[in-house]
Amino acid sequence: MRRGCLGVNRTTLLWLLVASSFAFLLFQLRYYRNYVSEAGPHILRRTSGHVTASHLQWQSVKSFVRLSRVFGLPLFLADPTALELLTRAGATERERERRRRRRRRDDCVFLCGGRALASFGLLANAWTYDAAFLLAAEAKGFQLLEVRGEDPRLASLDLLSGDDIPLHLLLRLHGYVIQVVFLYERSGAYLWHGPLRLRGDADRSFASFSQLSFGRHAGAYDRPALVATRVDGLDVAVPRNISHFLAQHRRARFLECPYRDARRFLRLYPDDWSPEALDFRHKAKSLLGLAAKTLDRLHVPFWISSGTCLGWLRQCGFITYSRDVDVGIFIGDFRPEIIDAFLDVGLSLKHKFGKVEDSLELSFVRAGVKLDVFFFYLDGDLTWNGGTQAKSGRKFKYVFPGFSLCRAELAEVRVRVPCQTLDYVTANYGAAWRVPQRTWDWKSSPSNVQENGVWPLAQWEELIQVY
């Protein structure tokens, strides 16, 4: 009897051990599937099916964001595609929060957007370059491509060799490319990034460079105010005014003054450093800066024109014997409040010629230096601005080939210039524009001047106003 009970107890105990082992094995398999195998690229996700490219991309950008936080990189999301998705109709903060709660935290919606790359801006002046970040990134499995270039802030100095600075950093993991754009503070109180130019030994298969959002040209931006937010479950900073940042991105192309050509010009034609010339430079810089701030406040895009543009292209400075500052504005950007805005900041109206429909021209003066504001009209593939002789009512027009606008800097003031600067200057000053001409008649000297009739005498009081 006792042996029978012992046999039953042994059998029960054996089944209990088998059941416990089986339960423990199931627990181990579940743990391995849910946690251990999740980090590998060839496993099943907790949902169903195999790991998606979107998931791997999200893992890549998550690793980058965490690593950048450890090293204190002052980054913000600058990718136009991702920012555009964030601002589309219906993507308000409340709607985005609702979507975030419904999605899995590892879904990559905004940062992937069907593209295997994303761009981040780095505020370079707020970060001490740390090579340890690159080593840590490589330890995480990232492949790196660093692009360096000349520091334009030193380009105006006659140095035998300029310092190289980091311009772009590309990090690649799981086929996903992250572009870090170094944004430097320039003297005109704006941010600048350089072009992405690969050197001879660089790996040109590293990324689809034509798809990168930054680097085809140098660019200039207002310094954006940033706000912290969560995008695809990751804590990132974004521009507070995303729409303004995107608008700037579309028109950010920056042209550097041709410093080397300017130095050659100044060796042939030394600059004037007389007290009168120094005084003009100081006043012209002040006047240009004031005009730029006033027009920017009115959201009126302008560019430096005529002799001021010639000085930028030829000698990277003002032509001191010109004694004025010239800017151009497309007539479509005319605002009636322009005159009052200039008067409010201390300029005096010198003359007003023409009308909005034809040959409008304004001239102001401050501290003895004249600001000429020329309005430009489109005529097919050509562009022209008008001129008026006050004593005779004669009209003139100056014809230019069509052009677009690029950002630039003159005398530490952020301005615009025609992107096709050489064509623009050559049209106005001819093939000999590199040779200074101290004698200049605005009615006959320009290469592109044309007679354009005479204002009717009965309209002079309205169209020829001299103060």
Side-chain angles (χ1 to χ4, degrees):
M1 185 71 179
R2 189 174 300 173
R3 284 197 302 269
C5 290
L6 183 60
V8 171
N9 290 340
R10 286 178 177 176
T11 302
T12 302
L13 181 61
L14 179 62
W15 278 109
L16 287 174
L17 289 173
V18 170
S20 300
S21 300
F22 184 73
F24 183 70
L25 179 61
L26 288 177
F27 173 78
Q28 285 184 312
L29 289 173
R30 182 177 179 83
Y31 177 85
Y32 180 81
R33 180 176 180 177
N34 284 351
Y35 297 99
V36 177
S37 64
E38 183 177 302
H42 305 293
I43 45 80
L44 297 176
R45 294 183 63 179
R46 286 193 300 273
T47 53
S48 61
H50 291 280
V51 167
T52 64
S54 177
H55 177 68
L56 290 178
Q57 291 171 0
W58 183 83
Q59 289 287 352
S60 300
V61 74
K62 181 180 73 169
S63 180
F64 166 75
V65 169
R66 289 182 174 178
L67 189 63
S68 66
R69 190 176 298 119
V70 170
F71 284 86
L73 272 67
L75 291 172
F76 66 93
L77 181 62
D79 190 86
T81 301
L83 293 176
E84 187 69 40
L85 288 173
L86 288 171
T87 57
R88 281 183 181 173
T92 62
E93 279 298 324
R94 182 178 300 176
E95 176 66 14
R96 289 204 300 270
E97 180 62 28
R98 184 175 66 83
R99 291 179 183 178
R100 279 197 294 267
R101 290 174 180 173
R102 291 193 330 191
R103 290 197 317 262
R104 299 188 60 83
R105 61 177 240 173
D106 56 355
D107 283 345
C108 189
V109 176
F110 297 106
L111 291 171
C112 298
R115 301 163 68 241
L117 55 90
S119 300
F120 288 80
L122 186 148
L123 302 175
N125 290 66
W127 185 60
T128 301
Y129 185 83
D130 189 353
F133 169 75
L134 305 182
L135 296 175
E138 288 182 324
K140 290 287 186 180
F142 284 100
Q143 296 172 292
L144 307 180
L145 177 62
E146 186 180 26
V147 178
R148 303 177 71 90
E150 190 176 81
D151 189 343
R153 296 167 297 181
L154 302 176
S156 59
L157 305 177
D158 194 4
L159 302 174
L160 293 177
S161 61
D163 288 343
D164 272 359
I165 55 175
L167 298 178
H168 299 265
L169 176 64
L170 303 182
L171 303 93
R172 185 174 65 187
L173 182 64
H174 301 309
Y176 188 76
V177 175
I178 297 169
Q179 179 184 23
V180 178
V181 184
F182 286 74
L183 293 158
Y184 292 90
E185 190 90 28
R186 294 284 290 259
S187 53
Y190 62 93
L191 298 179
W192 169 93
H193 72 76
L196 197 159
R197 299 290 181 266
L198 298 179
R199 294 180 176 175
D201 58 346
D203 180 6
R204 283 165 169 74
S205 65
F206 191 91
S208 298
F209 291 97
S210 62
Q211 296 183 21
L212 295 178
S213 300
F214 298 85
R216 180 168 298 183
H217 309 288
Y221 295 81
D222 295 333
R223 186 185 184 96
L226 302 176
V227 293
T229 187
R230 288 181 68 81
V231 179
D232 291 337
L234 302 174
D235 293 322
V236 297
V238 299
R240 180 184 297 275
N241 190 337
I242 292 178
S243 297
H244 179 67
F245 181 83
L246 291 174
Q248 285 207 315
H249 177 71
R250 290 188 288 269
R251 299 185 291 270
R253 184 181 175 186
F254 184 93
L255 293 184
E256 203 69 59
C257 175
Y259 291 110
R260 291 182 178 84
D261 293 340
R263 284 196 287 270
R264 285 193 290 268
F265 171 83
L266 292 173
R267 282 195 289 268
L268 291 173
Y269 307 99
D271 226 338
D272 183 0
W273 296 103
S274 66
E276 294 78 13
L278 291 173
D279 181 63
F280 171 75
R281 287 193 188 91
H282 173 73
K283 291 178 178 178
K285 175 182 176 179
S286 175
L287 180 59
L288 180 61
L290 189 59
K293 288 181 181 178
T294 303
L295 293 171
D296 286 346
R297 188 167 60 250
L298 294 175
H299 304 292
V300 174
F302 75 95
W303 65 94
I304 52 175
S305 186
S306 302
T308 307
C309 186
L310 172 63
W312 177 86
L313 180 65
R314 192 172 68 184
Q315 58 214 67
C316 294
F318 293 107
I319 300 175
T320 55
Y321 54 81
S322 69
R323 301 306 183 192
D324 61 10
V325 173
D326 306 300
V327 302
I329 297 173
F330 287 116
I331 195 62
D333 294 315
F334 171 76
R335 303 285 185 275
E337 57 268 30
I338 287 177
I339 294 178
D340 288 337
F342 278 133
L343 296 179
D344 289 343
V345 296
L347 277 67
S348 300
L349 183 61
K350 183 176 177 64
H351 70 241
K352 177 177 180 289
F353 295 152
K355 53 186 177 180
V356 174
E357 296 79 15
D358 183 10
S359 303
L360 182 63
E361 175 189 346
L362 302 174
S363 183
F364 301 86
V365 66
R366 180 175 181 263
V369 177
K370 189 157 61 81
L371 172 68
D372 287 324
V373 183
F374 301 108
F375 290 89
F376 283 66
Y377 298 77
L378 301 179
D379 184 7
D381 295 333
L382 302 176
T383 306
W384 63 274
N385 72 285
T388 296
Q389 186 179 35
K391 65 181 181 181
S392 67
R394 293 169 63 197
K395 298 170 58 182
F396 301 86
K397 73 188 307 186
Y398 305 85
V399 181
F400 298 84
F403 57 88
S404 54
L405 295 178
C406 287
R407 293 287 189 173
E409 181 182 312
L410 174 61
E412 299 183 342
V413 177
R414 186 172 56 151
V415 297
R416 296 176 188 84
V417 297
C419 298
Q420 300 77 15
T421 321
L422 180 59
D423 294 340
Y424 186 86
V425 167
T426 302
N428 210 185
Y429 294 96
W433 59 269
R434 293 179 179 83
V435 180
Q437 301 290 334
R438 290 179 175 268
T439 302
W440 187 262
D441 185 339
W442 61 271
K443 302 181 299 299
S444 59
S445 297
S447 301
N448 59 344
V449 65
Q450 300 176 8
E451 291 273 359
N452 195 31
V454 180
W455 291 114
L457 186 60
Q459 298 180 17
W460 281 24
E461 183 177 354
E462 176 190 357
L463 303 180
I464 305 176
Q465 300 179 14
V466 179
Y467 302 89

